[in-house]
Amino acid sequence: MSTIKKIQLGQNGPLVSKLGLGCMRMSSIWGGSAPDEKESIATINEALDHGINFLNTGDFYGAGHNEMLIGKAIKGRRDDAFISVKFGAIFHNGQWLGMDLRPIAIKNFINYSLTRLGIETIDLYQPSRMDGSVPVEDIVGTVADLITEGKVRHLGVSEINADQLRKANSIYPVSALEIGYSLADRQIEQELLPTAKELGINVIAFANTAEGLLSGDLKAPLAENDYRNHFSRFQGNNLVRNLEKVEVLKQLAKNKGCSPTQLAIAWVKAQGDDIMPLVSMSRRSRLPENIAAMNIEFTPQEMKILNTTFATGAIQGGTYLQR
């Protein structure tokens, strides 16, 4: 049962689903409690049944738990899944300590990931970000070596700037760029997105609802224990002003008979055939809504309203969390 359109990854890459499944929330991150594992595995399998084959994870999600969970879910149906793995982030007791992108570390990371996933080759392998401590040539060159060895199929990158993307692609063809992109976060439209399009690199867009800001469910102020209080867009008058703009999204969603979340995903989808909304889910109940969002179309007037209301810089404060 395939209900999701396929797009080609990179200039000569494989076909992957236009909608990606972000698996981060299926594991305990930053010290939070883990969702129900059986439900998470069932969610992955049902997503695969619907043709959502792009599964996104990181070797640091849940200290490896996320990869092991995906490994359980795809057992017996490896060919149905396209697995994207980020590497390089170092955590301890839920606290981010920094990055390790040394070639010797990357060669260590890949083998642990393959073992946890229970597979022989990772489809898309990407540094979770560049921190300047290791030359881009060494990072990309190491992944290129892993591709030659047969442990990786395609090179991806995440959270980098246009110059870094161009340099990485000159060393080895980059198939995909993973980056935050939404109505509330449009900074990549200035340089990074045009560069990716020029080079024929697909964009894997996470944080489509900007950590829930565009969901239509938030009210100011947030609860004291809400992690989003750490980000300036969710603080004080910033949140109040930002939610005023979200009212426009809510009204448009009401007129179209859908949810604000669906509209936020549909807007990302509409930005081009080379852009994939990456949506985090851990429950099967989320699948129908998110799949339906991929069929929403906008009139020119509706798109004008959204692009005017949520012009670059219209949302005050930042930022997003990496998927």
Side-chain angles (χ1 to χ4, degrees):
M1 174 174 46
S2 178
T3 58
I4 295 294
K5 177 183 175 183
K6 294 290 193 292
I7 59 173
Q8 186 176 40
L9 195 68
Q11 293 182 323
N12 299 297
L15 290 177
V16 297
S17 52
K18 173 72 169 172
L19 175 65
L21 174 60
C23 298
M24 182 189 76
R25 298 189 188 280
M26 298 178 181
S27 298
S28 174
I29 305 292
W30 304 295
S33 59
D36 179 76
E37 186 167 298
K38 288 184 179 180
E39 178 63 20
S40 294
I41 290 173
T43 301
I44 292 174
N45 275 285
E46 191 162 317
L48 294 175
D49 291 341
H50 282 282
I52 303 174
N53 70 336
F54 191 98
L55 306 181
N56 184 269
T57 185
D59 63 9
F60 47 92
Y61 289 174
H65 171 270
N66 208 244
E67 289 179 317
M68 290 189 290
L69 184 145
I70 291 173
K72 292 177 184 178
I74 65 169
K75 192 172 183 179
R77 58 186 312 184
R78 172 66 180 98
D79 292 342
D80 294 340
F82 183 96
I83 299 175
S84 169
V85 177
K86 292 183 291 296
F87 65 85
I90 305 298
F91 281 81
H92 179 64
N93 294 336
Q95 299 298 314
W96 185 75
L97 301 182
M99 300 291 297
D100 191 348
L101 298 172
R102 296 170 300 156
I104 192 172
I106 298 172
K107 291 175 181 177
N108 180 57
F109 293 148
I110 185 74
N111 291 295
Y112 281 90
S113 287
L114 291 170
T115 298
R116 289 189 289 251
L117 288 161
I119 60 178
E120 296 181 354
T121 308
I122 289 172
D123 298 302
L124 184 69
Y125 201 50
Q126 52 190 344
S128 57
R129 65 182 60 179
M130 303 287 187
D131 68 347
S133 64
V134 178
V136 175
E137 296 90 335
D138 291 352
I139 300 168
V140 173
T142 302
V143 177
D145 289 343
L146 295 175
I147 292 174
T148 301
E149 291 178 28
K151 293 185 175 182
V152 174
R153 288 196 176 94
H154 304 280
L155 167 69
V157 292
S158 177
E159 299 206 49
I160 65 176
N161 60 42
D163 289 340
Q164 291 171 328
L165 180 61
R166 198 176 293 280
K167 186 171 186 178
N169 191 67
S170 70
I171 300 164
Y172 192 91
V174 176
S175 294
L177 161 67
E178 185 177 330
I179 197 78
Y181 187 39
S182 71
L183 279 165
D185 289 293
R186 302 182 62 174
Q187 294 86 347
I188 69 168
E189 293 176 348
Q190 298 171 22
E191 290 185 70
L192 189 54
L193 186 55
T195 300
K197 288 181 178 292
E198 173 197 334
L199 299 175
I201 297 169
N202 286 70
V203 172
I204 312 301
F206 66 79
N208 300 162
T209 66
E211 299 303 325
L213 177 65
L214 304 178
S215 69
D217 296 330
L218 292 187
K219 291 181 174 58
L222 300 181
E224 289 185 9
N225 62 348
D226 194 312
Y227 74 91
R228 289 170 292 196
N229 284 310
H230 293 292
F231 302 98
S232 58
R233 71 169 44 149
F234 294 102
Q235 298 172 0
N237 288 333
N238 278 357
L239 180 57
V240 173
R241 295 193 194 100
N242 292 339
L243 289 178
E244 289 173 357
K245 294 180 176 62
V246 175
E247 286 299 317
V248 176
L249 186 68
K250 290 170 66 175
Q251 184 59 50
L252 183 57
K254 183 179 179 180
N255 294 344
K256 293 178 75 67
C258 62
S259 71
T261 292
Q262 286 178 306
L263 276 197
I265 295 171
W267 180 87
V268 174
K269 179 264 299 185
Q271 300 314 301
D273 288 337
D274 52 352
I275 296 178
M276 174 200 297
L278 178 65
V279 181
S280 290
M281 292 176 263
S282 61
R283 302 186 308 277
R284 284 170 288 178
S285 60
R286 291 282 314 284
L287 280 165
E289 176 186 359
N290 292 329
I291 290 173
M294 301 299 288
N295 296 319
I296 294 174
E297 303 290 342
F298 297 98
T299 66
Q301 179 61 23
E302 289 170 340
M303 189 62 79
K304 181 179 180 181
I305 291 171
L306 289 175
N307 287 334
T308 301
T309 304
F310 295 94
T312 302
I315 294 297
Q316 301 186 31
T319 182
Y320 49 75
L321 295 172
Q322 186 181 54
R323 288 278 138 314

